[in-house]
């Protein structure tokens, strides 16, 4: 029985301790210390070691997962930031902020269709959140950038008319209008979520004047 007790104790030690005898709680605390010192890469490494050593029958510390995501974001590791903020959302921890940073990671990864979908839903779910304005601004800026590309092309096309033969004016105007048509829906999207956005209002006025 004494032998079995010793073996059992050794097995327990192997489960609870990892990383050269450091427990998952100790690793988590070391990660917290590194985070307080703004050593984000080191903190993330320690948190990931803690997560790897975390007992299966023990509930994961959701605050640690959020901290992992923050460390990844501050280290410009967008893939891991997305992974851990999404896990934070799934755990229900600070869901509004976690969702916003999911969208931020998707934006940094240029997965804009997914970002748009996440933000539109988040702006419905978290209308009273302190991060709502940041969500709207992120989506608004994306829409404005998308609309600006064809809008600027249209402006350049129209500018070329200054040196063109008058017989070419109609064709130049038609080509510009094609670009204005492409730009119009993006500025309309801006006003759907931010009706007082002056940039979108001015751009739409110009577009509608040109198209009419």
């Amino acid at each position: 029985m004494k032998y079995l007790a010793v073996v059992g104790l050794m097995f327990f030690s192997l489960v609870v301790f990892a990383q050269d005898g450091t427990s998952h709680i100790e690793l988590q605390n070391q990660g917290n210390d590194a985070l307080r010192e703004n050593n984000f890469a080191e903190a993330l490494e320690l948190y990931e070691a803690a997560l790897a050593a975390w007992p299966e029958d023990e509930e994961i510390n959701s605050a640690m997962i959020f901290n992992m995501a923050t460390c990844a974001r501050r280290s410009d590791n967008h893939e891991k930031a997305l992974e851990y903020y999404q896990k934070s959302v799934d755990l229900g921890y600070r869901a509004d902020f976690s969702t916003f940073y999911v969208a931020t990671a998707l934006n940094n990864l240029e997965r804009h269709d997914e970002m748009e979908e996440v933000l539109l839903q988040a702006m419905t779910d978290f209308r009273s959140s302190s991060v709502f304005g940041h969500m709207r601004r992120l989506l608004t800026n994306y829409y404005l950038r998308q609309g600006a590309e064809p809008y600027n092309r249209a402006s350049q096309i129209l500018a070329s008319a200054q040196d063109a033969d008058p017989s070419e004016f109609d064709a130049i105007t038609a080509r510009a209008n094609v670009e204005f048509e492409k730009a119009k829906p993006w500025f309309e999207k801006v006003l759907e979520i931010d009706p007082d956005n002056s940039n979108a209002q001015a751009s739409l006025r110009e577009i509608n004047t040109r198209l009419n």
Side-chain angles (χ1 to χ4, degrees):
M1 291 295 293
K2 183 177 180 180
Y3 173 76
L4 290 176
V6 171
V7 171
L9 180 60
M10 290 175 62
F11 178 75
F12 176 77
S13 298
L14 289 173
V15 172
V16 174
F17 292 91
Q19 300 292 314
D20 298 327
T22 307
S23 74
H24 65 292
I25 296 300
E26 289 174 309
L27 287 164
Q28 176 187 257
N29 290 338
Q30 290 173 16
N32 291 339
D33 291 340
L35 178 57
R36 278 190 286 270
E37 296 295 323
N38 292 333
N39 296 326
F40 301 113
E42 179 185 351
L44 179 58
E45 184 177 346
L46 289 162
Y47 285 140
E48 289 185 324
L51 184 62
W54 210 274
E56 292 184 4
D57 59 350
E58 184 175 329
E59 184 176 353
I60 293 175
N61 186 331
S62 55
M64 184 187 77
I65 299 298
F66 186 87
N67 286 345
M68 292 170 71
T70 298
C71 289
R73 174 172 60 85
R74 296 295 296 271
S75 302
D76 292 327
N77 190 332
H78 307 309
E79 290 283 1
K80 284 191 174 181
L82 175 59
E83 176 186 353
Y84 293 129
Y85 277 124
Q86 185 58 60
K87 191 172 183 65
S88 182
V89 170
D90 295 341
L91 291 170
Y93 185 81
R94 302 187 69 182
D96 51 350
F97 278 84
S98 295
T99 301
F100 169 67
Y101 284 124
V102 164
T104 299
L106 289 168
N107 184 51
N108 289 329
L109 292 167
E110 298 187 353
R111 293 163 59 176
H112 295 127
D113 289 346
E114 295 169 78
M115 180 202 71
E116 181 183 14
E117 182 179 356
V118 167
L119 285 172
L120 287 173
Q121 185 60 52
M123 289 169 59
T124 298
D125 295 342
F126 305 113
R127 292 197 65 82
S128 61
S129 170
S130 61
V131 79
F132 176 85
H134 296 288
M135 293 176 176
R136 182 170 63 181
R137 190 175 303 113
L138 179 58
L139 189 54
T140 295
N141 288 342
Y142 167 63
Y143 288 157
L144 287 173
R145 287 196 307 272
Q146 293 301 110
E149 292 180 9
Y151 185 92
N152 290 338
R153 287 196 298 269
S155 298
Q156 291 169 359
I157 292 169
L158 289 176
S160 70
Q162 295 178 356
D163 300 321
D165 187 274
S167 64
E168 299 176 319
F169 286 175
D170 287 345
I172 290 172
T173 300
R175 285 194 290 115
N177 285 348
V178 169
E179 298 300 325
F180 281 132
E181 288 281 8
K182 293 177 182 177
K184 184 176 181 178
W186 292 108
F187 296 122
E188 290 174 338
K189 282 187 172 187
V190 173
L191 296 182
E192 287 175 7
I193 61 173
D194 186 8
D196 297 325
N197 190 285
S198 58
N199 289 331
Q201 289 174 344
S203 297
L204 270 179
R205 280 197 300 270
E206 177 66 17
I207 289 170
N208 288 330
T209 298
R210 295 289 182 180
L211 295 180
N212 291 332

